[in-house]
Amino acid sequence: MAWAAKQQGGASAANGLMHLESENKILLECLTSRLGAEKKREPCELKIADFDDVLYKVFVSPDSPNEIVLHVAVRDWENLKSNGAQKALDTNFPGCTSQPEQGFNVAIKVNADSLPKGPWGSTGEACAKQLADIKTLLVGAPLAEAFSTLESGGSASSGITTIAMRKPTQDGGGNCYIVPKGDRVTVVFAVDFADETDKAVTRIFLQEFVEAQRSVNNCPPANFSRGAEPPMEIQSIPNIDGNPDIAGFISFTIFKSHIGTTPKKKEATKLLVHFLTYLQYHVKATKTYMHMRMRNKVNALLQVLNRATQTSNETKAKKTITGKTWVKK
């Protein structure tokens, strides 16, 4: 459904769904004020927490107010680094990497007076937007590598790539499996939430992805399976035995037609990287909506009860069938 909303030009609002932008808004605002037309030159130290355990730190030294250092912490960095993340950094920010602080994996130093040259453009606003979307660049690097191989028609000899996208619950989940084939790339998410109600809502929500593909043209095929039945594409992974306690598995099959152009490939990578965030947002929004409906129903029933309550204490005289008058004491 997220895919369909983007392909149909924002139809998600009409369907009650919301597409979340991939850039971190706080980080984008901070960087734009220093790299954009305003060119703010003042010291700064800002720490930001994002979805999927991603952390940012923006540091501008008082001694060098034109130099901006962005520290980034992501899960499973060593795995990402060996599957294209370091290459993506060198391509987009050549010569800008530096030693990260303790607790962070990557540090990018940018001189506001001499911007690096990358595929994102040459303006300060474009540089700020790319830095604010650094999570997509790093976490999506294995996906971008697999899509490039599929687009070029190369052989899929790398096997299955596993990425720990978020902290697993006590039952598991949180991994993303990239399965390249000759004519397709299958991306499988092991989805789970700690709360049992969240799991139940998630299962219903994921099943809708299977139904949505029947009414949306040219969208990637989607399949949902229960936790006890992992998809066939990943059954060869050691210790992947199904766990009936997790919410389930959702898989998307990407063909060449879905990534035929550079914008399509970037959009596919972005949507898949932020899929779990999209899912989490709508699961929480669904629970909020249900709670609001229940509260409104309770208020409506209370109004009915209040209207049914006798408000006057005046005792009225009543007549029997024989015409006698009596007053209830």
Side-chain angles (χ1 to χ4, degrees):
M1 285 182 285
W3 194 291
K6 291 297 288 182
Q7 297 299 324
Q8 294 180 355
S12 57
N15 297 329
L17 299 177
M18 179 178 178
H19 174 73
L20 304 176
E21 297 296 333
S22 59
E23 299 90 0
N24 186 285
K25 295 300 183 183
I26 301 175
L27 183 58
L28 180 61
E29 181 180 346
C30 175
L31 294 173
T32 302
S33 65
R34 287 165 172 79
L35 297 175
E38 186 178 349
K39 292 190 179 300
K40 184 186 294 185
R41 296 289 186 270
E42 59 183 36
C44 170
E45 185 173 357
L46 176 65
K47 293 183 178 180
I48 307 168
D50 205 345
F51 292 101
D52 301 333
D53 302 325
V54 177
L55 298 176
Y56 306 105
K57 179 181 178 180
V58 180
F59 180 74
V60 179
S61 172
D63 300 329
S64 303
N66 61 318
E67 290 186 347
I68 303 168
V69 183
L70 173 62
H71 299 270
V72 186
V74 294
R75 294 186 62 85
D76 205 11
W77 166 244
E78 292 301 326
N79 187 19
L80 294 173
K81 183 178 179 181
S82 61
N83 283 282
Q86 187 62 54
K87 179 182 176 182
L89 271 178
D90 296 338
T91 302
N92 285 268
F93 301 99
C96 296
T97 56
S98 61
Q99 183 64 32
E101 293 183 359
Q102 185 176 1
F104 294 89
N105 309 114
V106 176
I108 304 172
K109 181 184 290 187
V110 176
N111 191 326
D113 298 328
S114 179
L115 295 175
K117 295 181 180 179
W120 36 264
S122 58
T123 64
E125 289 80 1
C127 182
K129 187 172 183 179
Q130 182 63 48
L131 286 170
D133 199 19
I134 193 70
K135 174 184 173 183
T136 302
L137 183 69
L138 299 179
V139 181
L143 288 166
E145 291 276 302
F147 293 159
S148 296
T149 302
L150 174 63
E151 187 179 19
S152 63
S155 60
S157 58
S158 58
I160 301 175
T161 302
T162 304
I163 306 173
M165 299 196 72
R166 59 173 49 189
K167 184 179 179 180
T169 65
Q170 61 180 1
D171 297 324
N175 286 343
C176 172
Y177 305 94
I178 305 171
V179 188
K181 298 292 183 181
D183 61 340
R184 71 192 70 184
V185 173
T186 303
V187 183
V188 182
F189 293 95
V191 184
D192 195 37
F193 291 95
D195 185 75
E196 289 297 328
T197 305
D198 288 359
K199 291 184 182 184
V201 175
T202 299
R203 292 188 182 104
I204 297 173
F205 197 86
L206 292 179
Q207 288 172 0
E208 289 301 314
F209 279 86
V210 182
E211 298 297 326
Q213 68 180 346
R214 301 175 182 175
S215 57
V216 180
N217 294 329
N218 301 322
C219 73
N223 290 289
F224 169 72
S225 58
R226 294 278 183 168
E229 303 172 352
M232 293 182 59
E233 291 87 352
I234 62 173
Q235 288 183 358
S236 61
I237 299 177
N239 303 321
I240 197 63
D241 295 339
N243 186 343
D245 295 326
I246 72 170
F249 296 91
I250 181 76
S251 62
F252 300 96
T253 303
I254 311 298
F255 294 97
K256 283 187 179 182
S257 60
H258 300 130
I259 55 168
T261 62
T262 299
K264 280 186 175 182
K265 184 165 61 175
K266 289 183 178 180
E267 194 62 39
T269 303
K270 184 183 298 184
L271 290 174
L272 289 169
V273 167
H274 297 275
F275 171 74
L276 293 180
T277 302
Y278 169 87
L279 177 63
Q280 180 181 359
Y281 174 87
H282 284 93
V283 167
K284 300 301 182 183
T286 300
K287 290 180 64 178
T288 301
Y289 175 74
M290 293 171 64
H291 287 179
M292 291 173 59
R293 289 290 302 270
M294 287 189 289
R295 291 191 185 100
N296 291 338
K297 189 64 176 178
V298 169
N299 291 335
L301 291 174
L302 288 175
Q303 291 179 359
V304 173
L305 289 176
N306 290 335
R307 286 196 296 266
T309 303
Q310 183 176 352
T311 57
S312 175
N313 294 325
E314 181 182 353
T315 304
K316 296 182 179 181
K318 297 183 179 181
K319 290 185 178 181
T320 64
I321 193 172
T322 59
K324 294 181 179 180
T325 300
W326 62 280
V327 178
K328 185 178 181 182
K329 296 182 179 180

